[in-house]
């Protein structure tokens, strides 16, 4: 039977019982933790080491998961960027937030994570690239003091390195004040073109015609590609993930260098997966297969109890759980009709009685 545990009950039990003193979860009594959302576009959970992938695509995320809590069964709220990312920021399903069309604008009457924290005195910043989020008139900037689209320089999209550089530069200016930082890297999204040494890391000796960066086109149909071509495309995709993983590591290193790592909730998540020909598709078209909906979600909570470090929670998690999680951590009230729940409560519920 699925076990549901509410954080308020856990805190009460910790305050009252000799075997669970309040200081055991002293981190939960603060309301000024910083928060980082590190979103990497188009990442399938099953292409990451901590989710069982045989290739070493994600050493920094794997080490991070050993320090935090991995949610094994996280469900994306959509198979494409705008609606799923809106769910991450609002805690609402696409049917409620309404940002589910190419030209949809996120409703200004909705409360986002950035607004929730800004109202509590947090400095807020978002850096990334995706036209559906960082383009003109999307509505996703609400609640952010700084919201920057890092533009490409002579290529289809900016490398994640530039996005992380911008975020680190902003962090250097914060002077220890609590913050909310949202990064949105685009690298594993098509076209696949990882830089070296990541481009050749998983290369299986391909010598076919698909040289350079890879992107599908109307002239290049799946039926026209050989099995060797498909393997090469997967090699490039895995290289993109490995590159993005290294950028995640750079951000983690910066948090440690600035002395704020222990007081920051860090969330690694993706907006959706990628088909990679599993069911005849090559990108993320509107199908509902596992390769699109099963996304990574790993959280490192501040001062996590030792017995939870490296834990895996098997219960269903969703992108809409992130806003309630942040609210839970900082003690903010949220709309009781939100469909999600606190991931922190789920994690604490895994503690032995």
């Amino acid at each position: 039977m699925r076990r549901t545990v509410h954080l308020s009950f856990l805190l009460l039990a910790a305050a009252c019982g000799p075997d669970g003193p309040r200081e055991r979860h002293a981190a939960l009594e603060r309301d000024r933790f910083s928060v980082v959302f590190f979103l990497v576009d188009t990442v399938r959970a099953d292409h990451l080491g901590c989710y069982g992938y045989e290739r070493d695509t994600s050493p920094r995320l794997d080490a991070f998961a050993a320090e935090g809590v991995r949610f094994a069964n996280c469900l994306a709220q959509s198979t494409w960027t705008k609606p799923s990312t809106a769910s991450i920021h609002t805690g609402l399903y696409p049917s409620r937030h309404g940002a589910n069309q190419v030209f949809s604008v996120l409703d200004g009457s909705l409360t986002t994570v950035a607004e929730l924290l800004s109202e509590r005195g947090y400095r807020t910043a978002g850096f990334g690239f995706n036209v559906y989020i960082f383009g003109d008139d999307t509505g996703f900037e609400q609640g952010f003091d700084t919201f920057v689209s890092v533009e490409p320089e002579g290529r289809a999209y900016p490398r994640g390195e530039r996005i992380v550089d911008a975020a680190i530069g902003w962090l250097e200016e914060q002077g220890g004040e609590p913050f909310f930082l949202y990064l949105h890297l685009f690298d594993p999204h098509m076209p696949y073109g990882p830089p070296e040494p990541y481009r050749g890391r998983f290369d299986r000796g391909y010598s076919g015609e698909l040289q350079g960066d890879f992107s599908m086109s109307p002239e290049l149909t799946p039926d026209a590609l050989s099995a060797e071509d498909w393997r090469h495309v997967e090699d490039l995709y895995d290289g993109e993930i490995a590159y993005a993983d290294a950028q995640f590591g750079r951000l983690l290193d910066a948090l440690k260098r600035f002395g704020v790592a222990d007081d920051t909730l860090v969330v690694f998540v993706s907006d959706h997966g990628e088909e990679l020909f599993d069911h005849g598709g090559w990108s993320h078209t509107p199908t509902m297969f596992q390769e699109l909906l099963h996304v990574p979600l790993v959280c490192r909570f501040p001062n996590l109890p030792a017995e939870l470090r490296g834990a895996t929670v098997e219960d269903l998690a969703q992108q809409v759980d992130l806003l309630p999680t942040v609210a839970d951590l900082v003690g903010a009230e949220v709309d009781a009709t939100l469909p999600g729940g606190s991931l922190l409560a789920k994690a604490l519920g895994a503690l032995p009685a």
Side-chain angles (χ1 to χ4, degrees):
M1 182 175 67
R2 182 177 175 181
R3 183 184 181 196
T4 302
V5 182
H6 297 287
L7 180 60
S8 58
F9 173 79
L10 284 164
L11 289 177
L12 178 61
C16 298
D19 295 328
R22 183 179 289 274
E23 57 266 24
R24 185 184 187 199
H25 304 307
L28 304 182
E29 296 184 31
R30 289 190 50 189
D31 64 353
R32 299 289 282 176
F33 290 117
S34 294
V35 178
V36 172
F37 283 2
F38 196 99
L39 189 157
V40 182
D41 214 297
T42 323
V43 175
R44 292 171 55 140
D46 64 357
H47 275 243
L48 300 168
C50 56
Y51 283 84
Y53 197 41
E54 67 276 6
R55 284 179 155 181
D56 189 23
T57 57
S58 53
R60 293 305 303 264
L61 178 63
D62 300 345
F64 176 77
E67 302 172 352
V69 179
R70 182 180 69 93
F71 294 87
N73 296 294
C74 181
L75 179 70
Q77 260 54 82
S78 179
T79 62
W80 69 289
T81 297
K82 180 172 282 187
S84 61
T85 306
S87 290
I88 288 170
H89 285 284
T90 66
L92 297 171
Y93 290 138
S95 59
R96 286 185 60 185
H97 63 58
N100 48 27
Q101 301 294 325
V102 169
F103 297 107
S104 296
V105 177
L106 190 64
D107 191 334
S109 68
L110 302 176
T111 299
T112 64
V113 172
E115 288 176 309
L116 183 150
L117 293 176
S118 179
E119 290 169 0
R120 298 180 72 84
Y122 281 61
R123 298 179 182 180
T124 57
F127 299 92
F129 176 82
N130 189 302
V131 66
Y132 295 125
I133 310 302
F134 290 90
D136 294 335
D137 301 320
T138 67
F140 281 84
E141 74 283 353
Q142 61 194 58
F144 285 100
D145 304 320
T146 301
F147 198 72
V148 176
S149 176
V150 179
E151 296 304 314
E153 292 181 344
R155 59 191 312 273
Y157 58 86
R159 294 283 187 210
E161 180 178 3
R162 293 182 56 218
I163 293 169
V164 173
D165 284 347
I168 291 173
W170 181 84
L171 281 172
E172 287 179 315
E173 302 172 353
Q174 299 318 301
E177 292 298 315
F179 61 85
F180 170 52
L181 176 61
Y182 159 53
L183 295 89
H184 191 129
L185 274 65
F186 197 74
D187 298 274
H189 193 288
M190 201 171 288
Y192 310 145
E196 293 293 0
Y198 306 97
R199 188 181 195 92
R201 177 170 293 183
F202 306 110
D203 179 37
R204 287 174 269 203
Y206 179 74
S207 59
E209 297 181 0
L210 302 180
Q211 301 299 322
D213 293 357
F214 175 80
S215 185
M216 291 295 289
S217 67
E219 297 77 28
L220 190 63
T221 64
D223 292 341
L225 301 183
S226 68
E228 182 186 16
D229 292 334
W230 289 137
R231 289 194 297 270
H232 172 62
V233 171
E234 185 177 49
D235 293 344
L236 293 176
Y237 176 73
D238 286 346
E240 292 280 22
I241 291 177
Y243 170 77
D245 176 77
Q247 301 313 311
F248 180 54
R250 292 183 60 232
L251 191 278
L252 295 177
D253 292 343
L255 293 174
K256 184 175 182 179
R257 186 166 67 250
F258 298 147
V260 297
D262 291 340
D263 294 326
T264 301
L265 165 64
V266 180
V267 175
F268 182 99
V269 69
S270 186
D271 51 353
H272 55 77
E274 190 80 311
E275 289 181 300
L276 292 180
F277 333 117
D278 281 6
H279 292 88
W282 51 268
S283 182
H284 40 278
T285 55
T287 64
M288 302 293 283
F289 291 115
Q290 184 82 340
E291 57 265 25
L292 293 184
L293 294 177
H294 184 207
V295 293
L297 176 59
V298 185
C299 302
R300 189 174 69 189
F301 298 100
N303 300 331
L304 191 70
E307 56 267 50
L308 274 181
R309 293 172 191 160
T312 293
V313 175
E314 298 287 349
D315 283 358
L316 178 68
Q318 301 181 78
Q319 292 168 333
V320 294
D321 293 332
L322 286 173
L323 186 146
T325 300
V326 172
D328 199 355
L329 188 72
V330 304
E333 296 291 331
V334 295
D335 186 344
T337 67
L338 288 178
S342 171
L343 297 169
L344 180 56
K346 284 180 184 283
L348 291 175
L351 283 172

